[in-house]
Amino acid sequence: MRHLLRFVVLLSACLISTAVQAQSLRDMAGQMIMIGFAHDSASAKQHRQLVKLISDGRVGGVMYLKYNVKSQNDVARMNKDFSTANSALAPLIAIDQEGGVVERLTSAVGFKEIPRARDVALNMDKDSAKALYTDLAKRMRKLGFNTNFGPVVDLIINKNNPIIAKYGRSFSSRADITAKFATSFIDGHHQHGMITALKHFPGHGSSAADSHLGFVDISQSWVEAEYEPFETLIKAGKADMVMAGHLFHKGYVRDGEGQVPASLSPVALTTVLRQGMGFNGVIISDDMEMGAITKHFGFEDAIVRAVNAGNDILLFSNTVKPSLGLPDRILAVLEAEAQRDPAFAAKIKASYKRIVALKNRLQ
């Protein structure tokens, strides 16, 4: 039995190595793209088109919004098609299912909802919270999801914050309490083979505005403690992915660079998160179609900046002008820049390796 297990491990490592080495730059870049979609049924023409994009390696992940959820049965059918579309690298099938207001699977389709993070921290201990999140992950996995965009590890710094505190999305104002319950969230999801994402680096809890709508400057409100949950969870090996927030802080700006949010900043993602905190996993951008990006950066410029900053996965909700032609537009930018700049091509290859390592955990 021991020899068989060793053989399986070696075979798996060999397959990963082959996947990393044998792909074209276009295939590697395709794995960096995660998109939303407009349909809610496996019988839709658009569904077949999206499955083909996954099969061809032009998309590495899909993200659900609430309008994609018509019924649990429809979701399960779509996810089965997504998960089997690419035999070499299964896609990340992601959803925001934090609890409370931020839930795409709801009682409207017969899915048992859970409390928001703030209420979990106020009314549960870490073990009961883990049981809650373990059950959630089990039910999500049954529907075919493998990625949940959570936990929120932002701190309640500004009690009037319009996007975090207002909706009780944060566990606490204290970093240790936040990290404790975030660990319950992560461990519960890991128990059923699901990937999680810490959000929103470097911390959205002190802001006075919502980055969905436009530019958010946290230079005066952000405090050092907002790093702590990220640092604690990374050090404990709990960070699968970190989601980069579209949050501007003047401390991340290099000379002559202008007002660049953390999600597009090499200082924030490479110098601080990777080198300073030692995070070697996958960095995923927050939605690249949020106002904080689209109102200040062009399409090509934002993509190039995001990769140069250190993002491995570019998340596009595909809601501005919904089209399944979006991945090819993104790929065209990535390929053109890679041909122009060898250092950019090297970043794509490095991102691909990190994504393959993450996806291998889903097997």
Side-chain angles (χ1 to χ4, degrees):
M1 185 68 180
R2 185 178 301 171
H3 294 299
L4 177 60
L5 179 60
R6 184 184 179 196
F7 172 75
V8 170
V9 171
L10 290 173
L11 178 61
S12 176
C14 181
L15 289 173
I16 296 170
S17 177
T18 301
V20 169
Q21 296 174 11
Q23 303 303 306
S24 68
L25 188 78
R26 183 180 180 84
D27 291 328
M28 294 181 185
Q31 289 300 311
M32 298 175 68
I33 299 171
M34 178 180 284
I35 64 166
F37 52 97
H39 60 274
D40 61 7
S41 169
S43 61
K45 178 182 178 181
Q46 296 96 323
H47 179 70
R48 295 190 293 274
Q49 293 172 336
L50 182 51
V51 170
K52 183 68 162 55
L53 288 172
I54 297 169
S55 175
D56 291 346
R58 287 180 284 169
V59 166
V62 295
M63 177 192 72
Y64 275 73
L65 292 172
K66 190 171 288 187
Y67 55 68
N68 301 122
V69 181
K70 181 168 66 175
S71 73
Q72 290 192 54
N73 184 57
D74 282 294
V75 167
R77 288 179 60 201
M78 288 192 291
N79 285 347
K80 182 177 180 181
D81 291 342
F82 293 149
S83 64
T84 58
N86 190 321
S87 59
L89 281 174
L92 298 179
I93 305 174
I95 193 166
D96 284 288
Q97 196 71 17
E98 298 173 13
V101 172
V102 183
E103 292 183 310
R104 313 307 187 199
L105 299 164
T106 67
S107 57
V109 295
F111 193 88
K112 180 184 175 184
E113 299 181 24
I114 67 167
R116 60 185 190 170
R118 186 67 183 129
D119 291 334
V120 169
L122 289 173
N123 299 305
M124 294 184 176
D125 59 23
K126 64 178 183 179
D127 292 331
S128 57
K130 180 182 175 182
L132 175 77
Y133 291 125
T134 299
D135 178 67
L136 171 65
K138 179 181 180 180
R139 292 182 288 121
M140 293 175 68
R141 202 71 170 102
K142 186 177 180 181
L143 293 177
F145 292 101
N146 57 33
T147 304
N148 191 358
F149 287 146
V152 170
V153 295
D154 303 318
L155 302 183
I156 307 172
I157 303 299
N158 175 13
K159 293 182 180 179
N160 296 315
N161 177 286
I163 191 63
I164 304 299
K166 178 179 178 180
Y167 298 110
R169 297 174 64 193
S170 172
F171 290 110
S172 176
S173 60
R174 286 175 46 182
D176 58 337
I177 293 175
T178 298
K180 177 177 70 173
F181 284 101
T183 297
S184 295
F185 184 107
I186 294 165
D187 287 349
H189 281 71
H190 284 178
Q191 197 161 316
H192 290 283
M194 291 198 64
I195 286 168
T196 60
L198 309 183
K199 59 187 190 186
H200 309 78
F201 186 84
H204 207 326
S206 63
S207 74
D210 177 0
S211 55
H212 289 83
L213 304 177
F215 189 80
V216 175
D217 188 341
I218 58 172
S219 300
Q220 301 303 318
S221 60
W222 185 88
V223 296
E224 192 80 17
E226 295 186 66
Y227 274 154
E228 293 178 18
F230 292 99
E231 291 180 298
T232 298
L233 293 163
I234 289 168
K235 185 176 181 181
K238 302 292 184 182
D240 304 325
M241 296 194 291
V242 172
M243 180 175 284
H246 303 317
L247 305 159
F248 171 75
H249 192 294
K250 62 183 181 182
Y252 296 142
V253 178
R254 298 179 298 189
D255 290 342
E257 191 173 47
Q259 292 184 322
V260 178
S263 55
L264 305 184
S265 167
V267 176
L269 302 188
T270 299
T271 304
V272 176
L273 182 55
R274 289 218 186 278
Q275 297 171 0
M277 296 188 184
F279 181 62
N280 296 315
V282 169
I283 298 175
I284 181 171
S285 73
D286 206 343
D287 180 14
M288 295 290 288
E289 293 189 338
M290 286 163 60
I293 300 298
T294 59
K295 292 181 181 179
H296 300 275
F297 302 91
F299 181 77
E300 294 85 359
D301 185 34
I303 290 171
V304 172
R305 285 177 180 269
V307 175
N308 278 329
N311 289 281
D312 300 301
I313 296 177
L314 307 179
L315 174 64
F316 283 80
S317 64
N318 199 11
T319 54
V320 174
K321 293 181 180 179
S323 169
L324 291 181
L326 177 61
D328 284 341
R329 292 179 59 211
I330 301 168
L331 277 173
V333 175
L334 294 173
E335 288 185 291
E337 187 65 15
Q339 291 173 4
R340 190 194 70 79
D341 181 4
F344 190 87
K347 289 180 183 295
I348 290 175
K349 293 174 183 177
S351 290
Y352 178 74
K353 290 180 181 180
R354 284 189 284 266
I355 293 166
V356 169
L358 179 67
K359 288 190 171 185
N360 181 59
R361 293 169 52 182
L362 296 173
Q363 307 303 319

